[in-house]
Amino acid sequence: MSYDVIIIGGGFAGMSAALQLARARRPILVVDAGLPRNRFAAASHGFLGQDGAAPAAIMREALRQLSAYPTVNFVHVKAVSAAGELDRFEVALENGEVHAARRLVLTTGVADTLPDIPGLAERWGQSVMHCPYCHGYEVRDRRIGVLANHPMASHQALMLPDWGPTTFFTQGMVPVDAELAAKLEARGVTVETMAIVEVLGEGLAISGVRLADGRIAPLEAIFTVPKTAPVSPLAAQLGCAFEDGMTGPHVKLEAGQLTTTPGVYSAGDAASPMHNATLASAAGVMAGIGAHQSLIF
């Protein structure tokens, strides 16, 4: 079947793009495999009007609202390949279906790679988190650790004392020179150069971390920024250019969320160095508007 726009990815960015196009009465298809990046988080915070709501509940309501528009179609399956050019794109799905569209909006997201430390990955999205603005308030006044996973980790360590007493675990990755040491001291951050080798605690809670020298440092929450990579190969298949961000590559954008491939738009975590539900939704709005206006002008 042929559509004006196929949106690949049904998260905050994709559904926001779909809403703009639905209200413009354009025939669109939303393709979603049902594995959002935020599936590990029990609640979404900092999103106006939805603070504290479960991401899955937000998406169910978005699906309900979008389903009321007669030009919107959904398929809950993985998109495996995409090819073509402006006005003549084809998207192949895992179930064997092939759909055509004049424009594409890629909101496929990223995959996270955490440091290989026992006890860390299973607590991801619960007591191990990445964004102080998304989760800092919920661990306020608790003992917080910042686990270095990239050279800019000290930035996070300098932020987190606004939420609780903070220890910066450099993991041998971030050299603390005199200037940085002074900044950390001014913020009340404790610096620990001995590496974390295990995260401890009952269930998904954290009680502390074991260090390489055998010591146990009491902690109740850990913030770390994972390395990220596009979860889908579609942007690369379509020839979209990428650029390096702080945590990994993301799709390079021009005005209106347009990629370097004519007719292909992108939004969300796969197209931004900054990852946040509100930012993803706003970018999705822009991608939907950009795709719609390109069909007119």
Side-chain angles (χ1 to χ4, degrees):
M1 186 172 177
S2 183
Y3 298 90
D4 277 352
V5 183
I6 295 177
I7 299 163
I8 304 170
F12 287 98
M15 296 296 250
S16 296
L19 184 58
Q20 311 312 308
L21 289 156
R23 293 185 58 77
R25 304 169 66 191
R26 292 287 178 162
I28 65 172
L29 176 67
V30 180
V31 179
D32 183 57
L35 293 171
R37 185 187 186 193
N38 58 22
R39 64 189 181 275
F40 302 104
S44 176
H45 294 287
F47 195 171
L48 185 64
Q50 298 289 347
D51 190 40
I58 297 173
M59 289 298 99
R60 282 195 299 270
E61 178 61 15
L63 180 61
R64 185 193 69 79
Q65 293 180 7
L66 276 166
S67 296
Y69 290 89
T71 62
V72 182
N73 293 275
F74 298 91
V75 60
H76 300 287
V77 68
K78 183 180 179 181
V80 295
S81 67
E85 59 186 8
L86 183 69
D87 286 325
R88 291 186 294 274
F89 293 106
E90 285 192 342
V91 177
L93 309 183
E94 198 169 45
N95 62 4
E97 295 178 4
V98 177
H99 296 278
R102 297 176 63 194
R103 303 289 186 274
L104 298 179
V105 177
L106 306 180
T107 58
T108 48
V110 297
D112 297 306
T113 299
L114 292 164
D116 186 15
I117 297 173
L120 191 73
E122 55 265 43
R123 294 177 170 87
W124 180 237
Q126 302 297 321
S127 49
V128 177
M129 299 149 287
H130 79 290
C131 174
Y133 294 108
C134 301
H135 305 290
Y137 189 82
E138 281 59 51
V139 296
R140 62 195 181 278
D141 300 324
R142 301 180 193 174
R143 291 168 294 189
I144 295 170
V146 174
L147 174 62
N149 192 35
H150 62 88
M152 289 296 293
S154 59
H155 179 77
Q156 200 173 53
L158 288 166
M159 292 172 57
L160 274 156
D162 278 7
W163 287 274
T166 301
T167 300
F168 180 35
F169 296 87
T170 65
Q171 298 296 106
M173 183 173 292
V174 180
V176 179
D177 59 20
E179 181 181 1
L180 177 56
K183 290 179 180 179
L184 291 166
E185 183 179 7
R187 291 286 287 154
V189 176
T190 300
V191 176
E192 176 58 72
T193 58
M194 190 61 62
I196 294 174
V197 296
E198 184 181 6
V199 179
L200 308 171
E202 293 292 328
L204 297 178
I206 294 175
S207 61
V209 292
R210 191 185 312 279
L211 304 180
D213 62 0
R215 287 181 294 132
I216 293 177
L219 282 183
E220 294 164 276
I222 292 175
F223 284 83
T224 190
V225 178
K227 293 182 172 65
T228 59
V231 75
S232 167
L234 300 188
Q237 290 174 4
L238 290 160
C240 301
F242 288 78
E243 55 188 349
D244 291 329
M246 182 176 67
T247 63
H250 58 84
V251 177
K252 183 178 181 179
L253 297 178
E254 300 178 0
Q257 302 295 129
L258 179 65
T259 71
T260 56
T261 299
V264 180
Y265 296 77
S266 190
D269 292 352
S272 172
M274 296 182 65
H275 302 160
N276 174 282
T278 303
L279 297 177
S281 181
V285 170
M286 294 302 296
I289 291 172
H292 174 243
Q293 293 191 359
S294 77
L295 292 167
I296 300 170
F297 301 113

